Amino acid sequence: MRSTMLFAVAALLITAADARGVDPAGSELWEDLSGAYLGEDAKVTFNDSIRLMMADRVESAHEVPIMVKVPHDLRDMQELVLLVDRNPIQQVARITPHRRLESVGMNIRLEESTPVRAAILDPSGIWHVATKSVLVMSAGGCSSPPPDGAVVAAVGDVNIKQFERHGGASRLKVRIHHPMDTGFVVLEDGDVVPPYYVEKVRIEDERGVIADMLTWAAMSRDPVITIDLPTEGQSVRVSGNDSEGLSFEGLENAPLM
Amino acid sequence: MTPKACRLKDSRTPLSCSRRAAGLARAAACLILFTTVAWDAVGASYGLRPQPVAPGVYVFPGSQDALTPDNGANIANTGFIVGSREVLAVEAGPTRRYGKEMLAAIRSVTDLPVRYAVITHRHPDHSFGLGAFREAGIDVLMHPAEAEGLANEGPALLEFMTALVGEAWTQGTTIEAPSETLTEDRHVDLGDRPVDILVLEGGHSSGDLVVHDRTSGVAFFGDLLFVGRAATVPHADIGVWLMHLDRLESLPWTTGVPGHGPILDDPARFADTRDWIRFLRSRILEAVLTGESPAEVLDPGVPEPFAGMVEAGPTFGRAVLQLYRRYEAMDPAELDALAQ
């Protein structure tokens, strides 16, 4: 009896998923977006239990902090993908966790008012998608120069902080100093700033790799990546490379804050 | 520069956007202003009527709304003090049109010449009308750091404000410099009317001016005081600002005119500004120290008792990002000092 019920629920879920779900944001771009970045044959369900935290009204479109809270039943996720429908760079990041992650955050660019998506691939191959529609008051997060040009640290400098949370859990906060040029900014003299951005990031500690990330210039300048883990690491290492082949690395052995 | 946003009609089509570097302008403007749909207010007039608050002291109350095409950015309180010989104006309003209308409205009360205009700080809703005062040969006073900020940020902010409220209001407005700057308290006499101009640096802005009419006890506090409206913090040092509020509270005033909000006859409503900026500081400091993301601070919205203040939501959204960035850049010793 119980297995029949489960089967029925699963069948319903798959049926809905076949059509890549009905987009709660009603975006005409969703069909193409999900096809391109989750797969043409992707099974998709919109899932309210994933919390996508961000302001619903944005004035500083170059740097919009977001945080994805992963529900318990999805913490064995295979991949987490962040997408922005109406960006010239729609794909922000693809994160492959090698350990259970409780939340993932970063700061991103928004070109204009748009739905933002956090898509989580469960081990059975179904994408669970959270959607948030954001009103961008001052467009151009991808295509206009950022508000102040000063980048203090050298490109590739990595800054790692670890914070204690309840019950031995921890939060890792990684800042990578990088211009993250989108390739869509046209200067006063008509020159286009060519794309230049962080492509790959690996985060690990003494127990092995925590997560691998593929990233694009829809992450903000000097991107900040936040990851919540159920445990504390002793020594955290962040490494990666950018689109010009520059490798970078940062280590943190300092005690927890 | 163009204030028009580059819209992507459909992000599937290749983007070839030859937008000029208006991003800087817009982003800077966003720290202070906020967007509504622009339309043309044809034949717009501010309809300024001097409201007497004490013998010889008048206020033009600003609207308690956002910047809209309906109010033409008339959201700040302005006013003037009449002596036996001359007049001192406080603020110049948001546009040259406002400045002119303000001067005309003053003339409906007195024929005495306007000698001074004191601009409390650089923000557009207080300063952009100053061209009207300069062209009338009036001494316009400002703090030098604020004059510099106005010169640097003014053009971009004017462009942004025009997009918000419409050209019908801002037409003819240009960014002008004050005729005189001051870094120390100044005493002026309007004719049997001693008036103090106080300089309070590094709190709400780099240099806020407060005008205190000794005769009537009326004090114009500028944006050191917001009543019923969420105070904005783009250039603020909250610790210094709180000290300034203590000083202002202890001045011998009987009628207080805040930069925004209703006129006061006692300092109880100082709490509107004080509690709000204290809350902002402690909440955002806590977030920086515990590694919380600004997204997590913003997620629950504006908490009570602040949620009901005018512009609470947008101001909170802006303030969290501004202060978070500033506190995050501090070293542990500075953060400790802030937490004390």
Side-chain angles (χ1 to χ4, degrees), chain A:
Chain A
M1 180 64 191
R2 194 161 167 230
S3 62
T4 318
M5 286 276 289
L6 275 175
F7 180 77
V9 170
L12 272 172
L13 197 65
I14 306 286
T15 312
D18 275 345
R20 280 200 237 118
V22 177
D23 178 16
S27 165
E28 73 274 24
L29 300 174
W30 173 245
E31 194 67 24
D32 284 358
L33 185 80
S34 56
Y37 301 112
L38 306 182
E40 284 302 332
D41 302 319
K43 294 171 177 137
V44 173
T45 175
F46 287 94
N47 188 330
D48 288 342
S49 68
I50 305 166
R51 290 196 63 203
L52 176 49
M53 296 166 90
M54 64 190 302
D56 43 23
R57 181 181 183 285
V58 162
E59 293 177 355
S60 309
H62 291 90
E63 188 172 353
V64 183
I66 71 169
M67 181 65 74
V68 183
K69 301 275 184 186
V70 183
H72 278 279
D73 58 351
L74 288 174
R75 288 186 186 162
D76 55 353
M77 63 183 168
Q78 307 296 294
E79 196 174 15
L80 190 162
V81 179
L82 294 172
L83 302 171
V84 179
D85 288 36
R86 304 192 70 83
N87 260 8
I89 304 166
Q90 294 176 306
Q91 187 164 235
V92 183
R94 304 187 77 95
I95 297 134
T96 305
H98 300 285
R99 229 178 269 175
R100 288 170 76 86
L101 303 185
E102 296 176 356
S103 42
V104 175
M106 59 184 60
N107 46 353
I108 70 171
R109 301 175 184 279
L110 297 179
E111 180 60 24
E112 59 176 296
S113 295
T114 179
V116 176
R117 324 277 186 171
I120 291 177
L121 182 63
D122 76 17
S124 75
I126 294 172
W127 287 98
H128 299 257
V129 179
T131 288
K132 177 131 181 180
S133 290
V134 181
L135 188 63
V136 175
M137 310 305 285
S138 188
C142 295
S143 66
S144 66
D148 55 72
V151 178
V152 181
V155 172
D157 272 7
V158 178
N159 187 284
I160 304 168
K161 275 186 184 164
Q162 203 172 171
F163 299 89
E164 237 173 81
R165 293 188 301 130
H166 287 297
S170 69
R171 163 167 290 190
L172 280 179
K173 202 168 157 189
V174 177
R175 182 189 291 273
I176 303 165
H177 290 281
H178 205 284
M180 299 300 283
D181 290 320
T182 60
F184 294 102
V185 173
V186 182
L187 299 177
E188 293 279 3
D189 60 9
D191 284 354
V192 176
V193 180
Y196 179 45
Y197 55 94
V198 173
E199 279 184 338
K200 277 187 189 162
V201 181
R202 165 167 282 192
I203 302 173
E204 56 199 314
D205 65 10
E206 71 280 0
R207 276 170 290 189
V209 180
I210 296 167
D212 280 308
M213 303 177 62
L214 300 176
T215 58
W216 288 267
M219 279 208 305
S220 304
R221 182 181 64 189
D222 296 342
V224 177
I225 299 161
T226 304
I227 286 181
D228 285 342
L229 296 164
T231 55
E232 292 167 6
Q234 292 305 308
S235 60
V236 179
R237 179 177 182 268
V238 174
S239 58
N241 63 266
D242 70 19
S243 55
E244 299 288 314
L246 174 78
S247 298
F248 54 84
E249 182 185 39
L251 296 165
E252 172 72 13
N253 292 300
L256 290 172
M257 282 188 77

Side-chain angles (χ1 to χ4, degrees), chain B residues 216-250:
Chain B
S216 65
V218 176
F220 289 86
F221 294 124
D223 278 2
L224 285 161
L225 190 65
F226 284 63
V227 175
R229 184 183 185 106
T232 62
V233 298
H235 307 106
D237 179 323
I238 287 171
V240 176
W241 190 346
L242 289 166
M243 288 194 297
H244 288 342
L245 284 170
D246 290 345
R247 180 180 168 198
L248 294 181
E249 191 172 337
S250 69

Side-chain angles (χ1 to χ4, degrees), chain A residues 32 51 59 69 188, chain B residues 12 20 296 299 318 324:
Chain A
D32 284 358
R51 290 196 63 203
E59 293 177 355
K69 301 275 184 186
E188 293 279 3
Chain B
R12 284 169 298 189
R20 298 258 164 204
E296 292 165 301
D299 191 66
R318 242 170 276 141
Y324 194 96

